[in-house]
Amino acid sequence: MGSLGGGDAEGLRGQGRRPRFLCLHGFRTSAEIMRKQVLGKWPADVTARLDLVFADAPFPAEGKSEVEGIFDPPYYEWFQFDKNFTEYRNFDKCLAYIEELMIKEGPFDGLMGFSQGAILSAALPGLQEQGVALTRVPKIKYLIIIGGAKFQSPTVADKAYANKVACTSLHFIGDNDFLKVHGEKLIESCVDPFIIRHPKGHTVPRLDEKSLEVMLSFLDKMEKETSEHSSTDVDEKEVCL
């Protein structure tokens, strides 16, 4: 099983808590690699507003990693799939593993994923809504999807996208990403998504001025909602901020 590590964000913003995200890395990479990709490219005034928990996937990589020679091993994968991405192996075990992570390290407000982790993250709210995944944890309220796509198998897709994804979501679409077309289709399945378009390929991009503006709007919306949700709990229990 994979290891966990919190992000490098510092303190609380204002008097509210930071939205807590479980971060799911790409295929045959790792939690540490995603941590370096995100914290190394996004400015501190963004990451300091998020409580990021990076998790390794449950299965050691069964083949060569595309990041060999760039990032050090070990490498992991969330589940296995065929060349058409329509048949999956160990998918149910993957869902159970993520739920256990969320129970142990949560509660979480949202999920952030890159590549295979993004595909998973975007599908989980719908699977949770249908009662087939994450039934023992609070409802996922936010998504950050980097280089994402939709599941192709009807077995998963019919449940994951039975309804539009209603939670607040932020999507990164790369002009040269091989998953760009699939990422656009995913956006069509979401309600009022925030969208950051960048000129790069299948990667975690740096934030230029325009991208940063979208990111900050997304963070502002989350913080406002998180603060409102926290204030409703005051009458029920004491909250130490």
Side-chain angles (χ1 to χ4, degrees), residues 10 27 34 36 48 59 111 114 132 135 137 154 176 195 198 203 206 208-209 227 238:
E10 299 178 357
F27 184 60
M34 187 176 184
K36 290 178 178 177
F59 304 105
L111 299 172
F114 171 63
V132 296
T135 58
V137 297
N176 294 303
I195 304 170
H198 61 90
T203 186
R206 296 185 184 277
D208 60 18
E209 185 176 350
S227 176
E238 291 185 1

Side-chain angles (χ1 to χ4, degrees), residues 12 20 25 29 37 43 58 73-74 80 89 109-110 116 119 151 158 185 189 194 201 206 209 212 236:
L12 295 173
R20 189 168 175 85
H25 62 76
T29 64
Q37 290 173 318
Q80 296 76 42
R89 180 162 51 89
D109 298 287
Q116 188 184 39
I119 295 170
F151 277 99
D158 287 353
K185 290 181 179 178
S189 295
F194 288 78
R206 296 185 184 277
E209 185 176 350
L212 183 59
E236 300 177 7

